[in-house]
Amino acid sequence: MKKALNATVSWVGKVDWELARFHGDEYSTHKGSSYNSYVVEEGQTVLIDTVWKPFAKEFVDNLEAEGLLAKLDAIIAQHAEIDHSGALPELLRRRPDLPIYCTANGIKSLKGHYHADWDFRVVKTGDEFDLGNGKKLIFIEAPMLHWPDSMFSYMTGDAILFSNDAFGQHLATEKLFNDLVDQDELFVECIKYYANILTPFSALVDRKIQEVLALGLPVAMIATSHGVIWRDNPTQIVLKYLEWARAYQEDRVTILYDTMWEGTRALADALARAISQASPQTAVVAHCLSKFDKNDALTDVFRSKAVLIGSPTINKGVLTAVAGLLEELKGLRFKGKRAAAFGTYGWSGESVNLISEALVTAGFEVVDGGFRALWNPDAPALVAAAEYGKAFAAKITRPAETSK
Ligand code: FEO
Protein backbone atom coordinates (compact mmCIF):
# COMPACT_ATOMS: atom_id res chain seq x y z
CA MET A 1 0.00 0.00 0.00
CA LYS A 2 2.68 2.55 0.97
CA LYS A 3 4.67 3.57 -2.08
CA ALA A 4 7.70 5.84 -1.90
CA LEU A 5 7.93 9.04 -3.93
CA ASN A 6 11.34 9.62 -2.34
CA ALA A 7 13.07 9.04 1.02
CA THR A 8 10.46 10.80 3.14
CA VAL A 9 7.31 11.19 1.04
CA SER A 10 4.98 8.26 0.35
CA TRP A 11 1.69 7.59 -1.42
CA VAL A 12 -0.87 5.98 0.90
CA GLY A 13 -4.02 6.34 -1.22
CA LYS A 14 -6.45 3.94 -2.87
CA VAL A 15 -6.54 2.70 -6.47
CA ASP A 16 -10.19 2.25 -7.48
CA TRP A 17 -10.24 -0.09 -10.48
CA GLU A 18 -14.02 -0.50 -10.20
CA LEU A 19 -15.03 3.14 -10.43
CA ALA A 20 -17.21 3.54 -13.53
CA ARG A 21 -19.06 6.76 -12.68
CA PHE A 22 -17.87 9.79 -10.69
CA HIS A 23 -19.63 12.88 -9.31
CA GLY A 24 -22.71 10.75 -8.76
CA ASP A 25 -23.56 9.59 -12.26
CA GLU A 26 -22.23 12.67 -14.05
CA TYR A 27 -18.75 11.64 -15.19
CA SER A 28 -17.74 8.38 -16.83
CA THR A 29 -14.48 6.86 -15.64
CA HIS A 30 -13.64 4.25 -18.26
CA LYS A 31 -10.26 3.64 -16.65
CA GLY A 32 -11.26 3.80 -12.99
CA SER A 33 -9.47 6.29 -10.77
CA SER A 34 -7.38 6.71 -7.67
CA TYR A 35 -7.69 8.82 -4.54
CA ASN A 36 -4.16 9.91 -3.79
CA SER A 37 -3.15 10.57 -0.23
CA TYR A 38 0.40 11.29 0.86
CA VAL A 39 2.42 11.01 4.05
CA VAL A 40 5.44 13.22 4.67
CA GLU A 41 7.78 11.85 7.33
CA GLU A 42 10.22 14.53 8.31
CA GLY A 43 10.62 15.91 11.85
CA GLN A 44 6.84 16.12 11.73
CA THR A 45 4.68 13.42 10.16
CA VAL A 46 1.90 14.89 8.06
CA LEU A 47 -0.92 13.36 6.07
CA ILE A 48 -2.01 15.22 2.92
CA ASP A 49 -5.64 14.44 1.97
CA THR A 50 -7.45 11.13 2.45
CA VAL A 51 -9.67 8.89 0.27
CA TRP A 52 -13.34 8.41 -0.64
CA LYS A 53 -15.62 7.25 2.16
CA PRO A 54 -16.17 3.62 0.99
CA PHE A 55 -12.44 3.03 1.53
CA ALA A 56 -12.16 4.93 4.83
CA LYS A 57 -11.70 1.93 7.11
CA GLU A 58 -9.26 0.21 4.75
CA PHE A 59 -7.31 3.47 4.48
CA VAL A 60 -7.00 4.06 8.22
CA ASP A 61 -6.28 0.37 8.88
CA ASN A 62 -3.45 0.61 6.36
CA LEU A 63 -2.05 3.70 8.06
CA GLU A 64 -2.10 1.76 11.32
CA ALA A 65 -0.47 -1.31 9.77
CA GLU A 66 2.32 0.89 8.40
CA GLY A 67 2.89 2.41 11.84
CA LEU A 68 1.76 5.80 10.58
CA LEU A 69 -1.52 6.30 12.41
CA ALA A 70 0.06 6.78 15.82
CA LYS A 71 2.91 8.77 14.31
CA LEU A 72 0.83 11.46 12.57
CA ASP A 73 1.18 15.02 13.83
CA ALA A 74 -1.24 16.79 11.49
CA ILE A 75 -3.60 16.50 8.54
CA ILE A 76 -3.50 18.83 5.55
CA ALA A 77 -6.97 18.85 3.96
CA GLN A 78 -6.39 20.52 0.60
CA HIS A 79 -9.95 20.02 -0.64
CA ALA A 80 -13.15 19.04 1.13
CA GLU A 81 -14.84 17.14 -1.70
CA ILE A 82 -15.81 13.68 -0.51
CA ASP A 83 -13.34 11.78 -2.69
CA HIS A 84 -10.51 13.37 -0.66
CA SER A 85 -12.08 14.00 2.73
CA GLY A 86 -14.22 10.87 3.03
CA ALA A 87 -11.89 9.12 5.47
CA LEU A 88 -11.62 12.07 7.85
CA PRO A 89 -14.44 10.91 10.16
CA GLU A 90 -12.85 7.47 10.58
CA LEU A 91 -9.38 8.96 10.95
CA LEU A 92 -10.51 11.54 13.51
CA ARG A 93 -12.48 8.89 15.37
CA ARG A 94 -9.23 7.03 15.91
CA ARG A 95 -7.00 10.09 16.29
CA PRO A 96 -9.29 12.88 17.60
CA ASP A 97 -6.30 14.96 18.68
CA LEU A 98 -5.07 15.63 15.14
CA PRO A 99 -5.23 19.22 13.88
CA ILE A 100 -6.58 19.77 10.34
CA TYR A 101 -4.93 22.49 8.28
CA CYS A 102 -7.23 23.84 5.56
CA THR A 103 -8.53 27.09 4.08
CA ALA A 104 -11.34 29.09 5.65
CA ASN A 105 -13.65 27.78 2.93
CA GLY A 106 -12.38 24.28 3.70
CA ILE A 107 -13.79 24.55 7.21
CA LYS A 108 -17.18 25.58 5.83
CA SER A 109 -17.24 22.66 3.41
CA LEU A 110 -15.94 20.08 5.89
CA LYS A 111 -18.41 21.19 8.55
CA GLY A 112 -21.14 21.19 5.91
CA HIS A 113 -20.41 17.59 5.01
CA TYR A 114 -19.50 16.03 8.33
CA HIS A 115 -21.04 18.34 10.96
CA ALA A 116 -18.07 17.76 13.21
CA ASP A 117 -16.15 20.25 15.30
CA TRP A 118 -12.61 19.11 14.64
CA ASP A 119 -9.43 21.04 15.48
CA PHE A 120 -9.33 23.21 12.36
CA ARG A 121 -6.34 25.48 11.67
CA VAL A 122 -7.01 28.03 8.94
CA VAL A 123 -4.25 28.67 6.41
CA LYS A 124 -3.99 31.09 3.52
CA THR A 125 -1.59 31.70 0.66
CA GLY A 126 1.97 32.08 1.91
CA ASP A 127 1.38 30.44 5.28
CA GLU A 128 3.89 27.75 6.15
CA PHE A 129 3.93 24.49 8.08
CA ASP A 130 7.32 23.62 9.54
CA LEU A 131 8.06 19.97 8.74
CA GLY A 132 11.39 19.98 10.59
CA ASN A 133 14.72 18.97 9.03
CA GLY A 134 14.86 22.41 7.42
CA LYS A 135 11.82 21.73 5.22
CA LYS A 136 8.37 23.25 5.17
CA LEU A 137 5.06 23.17 3.39
CA ILE A 138 3.96 26.46 1.84
CA PHE A 139 0.23 26.77 1.20
CA ILE A 140 -1.23 28.33 -1.94
CA GLU A 141 -4.99 28.88 -2.06
CA ALA A 142 -6.45 27.73 -5.38
CA PRO A 143 -10.14 28.65 -5.26
CA MET A 144 -12.34 26.85 -7.81
CA LEU A 145 -9.58 24.38 -8.69
CA HIS A 146 -11.80 22.61 -8.02
CA TRP A 147 -14.01 24.11 -5.28
CA PRO A 148 -13.77 27.42 -3.39
CA ASP A 149 -11.83 25.65 -0.63
CA SER A 150 -9.10 24.08 -2.77
CA MET A 151 -5.44 24.74 -2.10
CA PHE A 152 -2.00 23.51 -3.16
CA SER A 153 0.89 22.72 -0.82
CA TYR A 154 4.50 23.13 -1.90
CA MET A 155 7.18 21.15 -0.08
CA THR A 156 10.51 22.94 0.02
CA GLY A 157 13.73 20.97 -0.32
CA ASP A 158 12.06 18.11 -2.17
CA ALA A 159 10.32 20.59 -4.51
CA ILE A 160 7.03 18.69 -4.60
CA LEU A 161 3.84 20.53 -5.50
CA PHE A 162 0.82 18.76 -4.01
CA SER A 163 -1.83 20.05 -6.38
CA ASN A 164 -4.91 18.07 -5.36
CA ASP A 165 -7.43 17.92 -8.27
CA ALA A 166 -5.41 20.17 -10.58
CA PHE A 167 -3.29 18.27 -13.13
CA GLY A 168 -5.02 14.98 -12.19
CA GLN A 169 -6.80 12.41 -14.28
CA HIS A 170 -9.15 9.53 -13.63
CA LEU A 171 -6.79 6.64 -14.27
CA ALA A 172 -6.48 3.57 -12.08
CA THR A 173 -2.91 2.29 -12.11
CA GLU A 174 -0.50 0.63 -9.75
CA LYS A 175 2.24 2.70 -11.38
CA LEU A 176 3.02 5.79 -9.38
CA PHE A 177 4.60 8.06 -11.99
CA ASN A 178 3.64 9.58 -15.33
CA ASP A 179 6.55 8.02 -17.22
CA LEU A 180 5.46 4.50 -16.24
CA VAL A 181 2.03 4.47 -17.91
CA ASP A 182 0.77 4.44 -21.49
CA GLN A 183 1.13 8.05 -22.63
CA ASP A 184 -1.85 7.98 -25.01
CA GLU A 185 -4.15 6.66 -22.28
CA LEU A 186 -2.77 9.21 -19.84
CA PHE A 187 -3.41 12.24 -22.02
CA VAL A 188 -6.85 11.01 -23.13
CA GLU A 189 -7.84 11.00 -19.46
CA CYS A 190 -6.10 14.33 -18.76
CA ILE A 191 -7.93 16.23 -21.48
CA LYS A 192 -11.26 14.58 -20.63
CA TYR A 193 -10.78 15.62 -16.99
CA TYR A 194 -9.97 19.20 -17.98
CA ALA A 195 -12.80 19.43 -20.52
CA ASN A 196 -15.50 18.05 -18.24
CA ILE A 197 -14.44 19.40 -14.86
CA LEU A 198 -12.15 22.40 -15.17
CA THR A 199 -13.33 24.20 -18.33
CA PRO A 200 -15.66 26.61 -16.47
CA PHE A 201 -12.72 27.74 -14.35
CA SER A 202 -10.25 28.27 -17.20
CA ALA A 203 -9.63 31.94 -16.41
CA LEU A 204 -8.77 30.99 -12.83
CA VAL A 205 -6.56 28.13 -14.04
CA ASP A 206 -4.58 30.51 -16.21
CA ARG A 207 -4.24 33.09 -13.43
CA LYS A 208 -3.25 30.55 -10.78
CA ILE A 209 -0.60 28.97 -12.99
CA GLN A 210 0.88 32.39 -13.77
CA GLU A 211 0.91 33.14 -10.05
CA VAL A 212 2.71 29.90 -9.19
CA LEU A 213 5.18 30.25 -12.07
CA ALA A 214 5.97 33.79 -10.91
CA LEU A 215 7.17 32.37 -7.59
CA GLY A 216 10.05 30.79 -9.52
CA LEU A 217 10.00 27.67 -7.37
CA PRO A 218 11.73 24.54 -8.63
CA VAL A 219 9.27 21.69 -9.19
CA ALA A 220 10.63 18.16 -9.13
CA MET A 221 7.21 16.51 -8.89
CA ILE A 222 3.54 17.42 -9.11
CA ALA A 223 1.64 15.09 -6.81
CA THR A 224 -2.03 15.18 -7.79
CA SER A 225 -5.01 13.68 -6.01
CA HIS A 226 -6.11 11.47 -8.95
CA GLY A 227 -4.00 9.30 -11.23
CA VAL A 228 -0.26 9.54 -11.67
CA ILE A 229 2.37 11.80 -10.14
CA TRP A 230 4.19 13.96 -12.65
CA ARG A 231 7.95 13.44 -12.18
CA ASP A 232 9.13 13.19 -15.78
CA ASN A 233 9.08 16.74 -17.14
CA PRO A 234 6.36 17.74 -14.65
CA THR A 235 5.81 21.11 -16.26
CA GLN A 236 4.48 19.41 -19.40
CA ILE A 237 1.06 19.12 -17.79
CA VAL A 238 1.24 22.74 -16.59
CA LEU A 239 1.91 23.88 -20.15
CA LYS A 240 -0.97 21.71 -21.38
CA TYR A 241 -3.27 23.36 -18.84
CA LEU A 242 -2.21 26.80 -20.07
CA GLU A 243 -3.01 25.71 -23.62
CA TRP A 244 -6.35 24.19 -22.61
CA ALA A 245 -7.31 27.22 -20.50
CA ARG A 246 -7.00 29.59 -23.47
CA ALA A 247 -10.05 28.80 -25.63
CA TYR A 248 -8.48 25.55 -26.80
CA GLN A 249 -9.44 24.12 -30.16
CA GLU A 250 -8.16 21.81 -32.86
CA ASP A 251 -9.13 21.58 -36.52
CA ARG A 252 -12.05 19.39 -35.53
CA VAL A 253 -15.83 19.46 -35.88
CA THR A 254 -18.13 17.53 -33.58
CA ILE A 255 -21.67 16.57 -34.51
CA LEU A 256 -23.94 15.69 -31.59
CA TYR A 257 -27.45 14.45 -32.16
CA ASP A 258 -30.21 12.11 -31.20
CA THR A 259 -32.80 10.60 -33.50
CA MET A 260 -36.21 8.89 -33.31
CA TRP A 261 -36.79 7.28 -36.74
CA GLU A 262 -33.36 7.78 -38.30
CA GLY A 263 -34.20 11.11 -40.01
CA THR A 264 -31.94 13.32 -37.90
CA ARG A 265 -29.34 10.55 -37.98
CA ALA A 266 -29.41 10.67 -41.81
CA LEU A 267 -28.81 14.42 -41.63
CA ALA A 268 -25.89 13.92 -39.20
CA ASP A 269 -24.33 11.36 -41.55
CA ALA A 270 -24.76 13.67 -44.55
CA LEU A 271 -23.30 16.63 -42.67
CA ALA A 272 -20.28 14.63 -41.47
CA ARG A 273 -19.57 13.43 -45.01
CA ALA A 274 -19.99 16.88 -46.54
CA ILE A 275 -17.77 18.68 -44.04
CA SER A 276 -15.12 16.01 -44.40
CA GLN A 277 -15.20 16.33 -48.18
CA ALA A 278 -15.20 20.12 -48.12
CA SER A 279 -12.35 20.28 -45.60
CA PRO A 280 -10.32 17.04 -45.79
CA GLN A 281 -7.81 18.16 -43.18
CA THR A 282 -10.56 18.69 -40.58
CA ALA A 283 -11.30 15.83 -38.19
CA VAL A 284 -15.04 15.19 -38.07
CA VAL A 285 -16.68 13.08 -35.36
CA ALA A 286 -20.34 12.35 -34.63
CA HIS A 287 -21.89 11.11 -31.41
CA CYS A 288 -25.44 9.83 -31.01
CA LEU A 289 -26.08 11.21 -27.54
CA SER A 290 -28.55 8.57 -26.39
CA LYS A 291 -26.23 5.71 -27.33
CA PHE A 292 -22.74 6.85 -26.46
CA ASP A 293 -20.92 8.45 -23.58
CA LYS A 294 -21.78 12.06 -22.81
CA ASN A 295 -18.40 12.93 -21.33
CA ASP A 296 -16.54 11.62 -24.37
CA ALA A 297 -18.85 13.78 -26.50
CA LEU A 298 -18.06 16.82 -24.36
CA THR A 299 -14.34 16.13 -24.66
CA ASP A 300 -14.77 16.21 -28.43
CA VAL A 301 -16.63 19.52 -28.14
CA PHE A 302 -13.73 20.89 -26.09
CA ARG A 303 -11.29 19.83 -28.82
CA SER A 304 -13.40 21.24 -31.65
CA LYS A 305 -13.51 24.57 -33.42
CA ALA A 306 -17.20 24.06 -34.20
CA VAL A 307 -20.16 21.88 -33.31
CA LEU A 308 -23.42 20.91 -34.98
CA ILE A 309 -26.22 19.79 -32.71
CA GLY A 310 -29.27 17.98 -33.99
CA SER A 311 -32.62 16.77 -32.76
CA PRO A 312 -36.00 16.13 -34.27
CA THR A 313 -38.84 18.15 -32.82
CA ILE A 314 -40.87 16.33 -30.20
CA ASN A 315 -43.65 17.91 -28.16
CA LYS A 316 -42.46 21.34 -29.39
CA GLY A 317 -39.04 20.59 -27.90
CA VAL A 318 -35.96 18.39 -28.33
CA LEU A 319 -35.09 14.84 -27.34
CA THR A 320 -34.00 14.50 -23.72
CA ALA A 321 -30.43 13.39 -24.49
CA VAL A 322 -29.98 16.61 -26.49
CA ALA A 323 -31.67 18.71 -23.80
CA GLY A 324 -29.31 17.28 -21.18
CA LEU A 325 -26.30 17.97 -23.34
CA LEU A 326 -27.38 21.58 -23.92
CA GLU A 327 -27.65 22.02 -20.16
CA GLU A 328 -24.09 20.71 -19.78
CA LEU A 329 -22.84 23.09 -22.43
CA LYS A 330 -24.41 26.02 -20.60
CA GLY A 331 -22.49 25.12 -17.44
CA LEU A 332 -19.16 24.32 -19.09
CA ARG A 333 -18.98 27.66 -20.94
CA PHE A 334 -16.62 26.67 -23.76
CA LYS A 335 -14.94 29.65 -25.43
CA GLY A 336 -14.31 30.60 -29.02
CA LYS A 337 -16.38 27.92 -30.72
CA ARG A 338 -18.84 28.15 -33.59
CA ALA A 339 -22.04 26.19 -33.84
CA ALA A 340 -25.30 25.54 -35.62
CA ALA A 341 -28.35 23.32 -35.23
CA PHE A 342 -30.13 20.80 -37.42
CA GLY A 343 -33.03 18.40 -37.20
CA THR A 344 -36.11 16.88 -38.78
CA TYR A 345 -39.71 17.74 -38.05
CA GLY A 346 -43.19 16.70 -39.05
CA TRP A 347 -45.38 19.69 -38.19
CA SER A 348 -44.40 22.40 -35.68
CA GLY A 349 -40.58 22.13 -36.02
CA GLU A 350 -39.24 24.08 -33.06
CA SER A 351 -36.11 22.01 -32.36
CA VAL A 352 -33.61 23.86 -34.55
CA ASN A 353 -34.52 27.27 -33.13
CA LEU A 354 -34.50 25.94 -29.59
CA ILE A 355 -31.05 24.40 -30.03
CA SER A 356 -29.74 27.60 -31.65
CA GLU A 357 -31.00 29.67 -28.72
CA ALA A 358 -29.46 27.28 -26.22
CA LEU A 359 -26.15 27.42 -28.05
CA VAL A 360 -26.15 31.23 -27.88
CA THR A 361 -26.89 31.03 -24.15
CA ALA A 362 -23.98 28.60 -23.76
CA GLY A 363 -21.60 31.11 -25.37
CA PHE A 364 -21.24 29.63 -28.85
CA GLU A 365 -21.11 31.80 -31.96
CA VAL A 366 -24.10 30.48 -33.89
CA VAL A 367 -23.19 30.98 -37.54
CA ASP A 368 -26.64 30.73 -39.13
CA GLY A 369 -30.21 29.58 -38.65
CA GLY A 370 -29.36 25.90 -39.00
CA PHE A 371 -30.79 23.19 -41.23
CA ARG A 372 -34.25 21.61 -41.05
CA ALA A 373 -35.77 18.77 -43.06
CA LEU A 374 -39.48 17.93 -43.19
CA TRP A 375 -40.31 14.32 -42.31
CA ASN A 376 -37.74 11.71 -43.22
CA PRO A 377 -35.17 13.31 -45.52
CA ASP A 378 -35.42 12.10 -49.12
CA ALA A 379 -32.60 12.29 -51.69
CA PRO A 380 -33.11 16.04 -52.45
CA ALA A 381 -33.21 16.81 -48.72
CA LEU A 382 -29.93 14.95 -48.20
CA VAL A 383 -28.38 16.87 -51.09
CA ALA A 384 -29.55 20.09 -49.40
CA ALA A 385 -28.05 18.88 -46.11
CA ALA A 386 -24.75 18.21 -47.85
CA GLU A 387 -24.83 21.70 -49.37
CA TYR A 388 -25.51 23.11 -45.93
CA GLY A 389 -22.56 21.11 -44.51
CA LYS A 390 -20.29 22.45 -47.23
CA ALA A 391 -21.36 26.02 -46.47
CA PHE A 392 -20.90 25.40 -42.73
CA ALA A 393 -17.35 24.14 -43.37
CA ALA A 394 -16.61 27.39 -45.21
CA LYS A 395 -18.03 29.54 -42.41
CA ILE A 396 -15.82 27.96 -39.77
CA THR A 397 -12.52 28.37 -41.58
CA ARG A 398 -11.89 31.93 -40.40
CA PRO A 399 -10.53 32.30 -36.85
CA ALA A 400 -13.24 32.53 -34.22
CA GLU A 401 -13.46 35.40 -31.80
CA THR A 402 -12.17 34.29 -28.45
CA SER A 403 -13.32 35.80 -25.23
CA LYS A 404 -11.83 34.92 -21.89
FE1 FEO B 1 -11.24 15.04 -6.68
FE2 FEO B 1 -12.92 18.06 -6.43
O1 FEO B 1 -12.44 16.30 -5.99
Side-chain angles (χ1 to χ4, degrees), residues 7-21:
T8 60
V9 182
S10 303
W11 178 95
V12 289
K14 172 69 184 177
V15 178
D16 190 352
W17 294 95
E18 271 195 18
L19 189 78
R21 311 293 300 179

Side-chain angles (χ1 to χ4, degrees), residues 174-376:
E174 280 296 329
K175 310 294 184 200
L176 204 52
F177 299 109
N178 66 308
D179 50 303
L180 301 181
V181 298
D182 183 292
Q183 298 300 290
D184 291 339
E185 280 187 1
L186 173 61
F187 278 93
V188 163
E189 294 304 327
C190 285
I191 196 167
K192 177 179 175 180
Y193 185 95
Y194 190 97
N196 284 271
I197 296 177
L198 292 173
T199 296
F201 313 118
S202 285
L204 296 170
V205 169
D206 196 331
R207 211 177 306 145
K208 183 55 59 180
I209 288 175
Q210 301 295 351
E211 181 189 321
V212 173
L213 291 177
L215 297 174
L217 298 168
V219 176
M221 289 185 207
I222 298 177
T224 71
S225 61
H226 298 290
V228 294
I229 295 157
W230 300 90
R231 73 169 176 189
D232 176 43
N233 185 14
T235 50
Q236 65 179 301
I237 190 62
V238 179
L239 297 177
K240 276 289 175 200
Y241 265 47
L242 281 178
E243 200 182 338
W244 293 338
R246 295 171 180 175
Y248 180 75
Q249 60 178 248
E250 302 169 16
D251 189 359
R252 189 177 193 88
V253 172
T254 295
I255 301 170
L256 306 177
Y257 68 96
D258 198 7
T259 193
M260 290 172 72
W261 297 110
E262 310 302 324
T264 299
R265 183 229 166 117
L267 295 183
D269 290 351
L271 291 167
R273 200 176 312 120
I275 295 166
S276 211
Q277 284 172 353
S279 181
Q281 74 283 1
T282 301
V284 181
V285 292
H287 296 259
C288 177
L289 293 166
S290 62
K291 293 187 175 67
F292 295 101
D293 187 87
K294 173 192 68 176
N295 303 106
D296 292 341
L298 287 166
T299 306
D300 265 322
V301 173
F302 177 73
R303 294 177 61 188
S304 293
K305 62 182 181 182
V307 297
L308 280 161
I309 300 189
S311 173
T313 296
I314 177 170
N315 298 334
K316 299 184 178 179
V318 299
L319 291 173
T320 54
V322 176
L325 193 280
L326 292 171
E327 182 65 19
E328 291 262 12
L329 292 179
K330 189 171 72 174
L332 288 171
R333 304 197 294 279
F334 293 114
K335 305 286 187 206
K337 299 189 192 297
R338 295 202 171 94
F342 66 97
T344 55
Y345 67 106
W347 46 103
S348 60
E350 288 89 345
S351 67
V352 168
N353 283 345
L354 289 172
I355 294 169
S356 297
E357 286 166 14
L359 285 166
V360 170
T361 303
F364 287 78
E365 181 192 338
V366 176
V367 297
D368 57 34
F371 183 81
R372 295 197 310 169
L374 183 61
W375 298 112
N376 206 32

Side-chain angles (χ1 to χ4, degrees), residues 22 79 81 83-84 146 165 193 225-226:
F22 186 72
H79 179 25
E81 195 164 9
D83 48 331
H84 309 297
H146 157 230
D165 279 339
Y193 185 95
S225 61
H226 298 290

Side-chain angles (χ1 to χ4, degrees), residues 1 12-13 57-68:
M1 50 134 318
V12 289
K57 184 169 184 311
E58 174 186 335
F59 172 76
V60 182
D61 285 350
N62 284 340
L63 290 179
E64 189 166 38
E66 295 280 357
L68 293 167

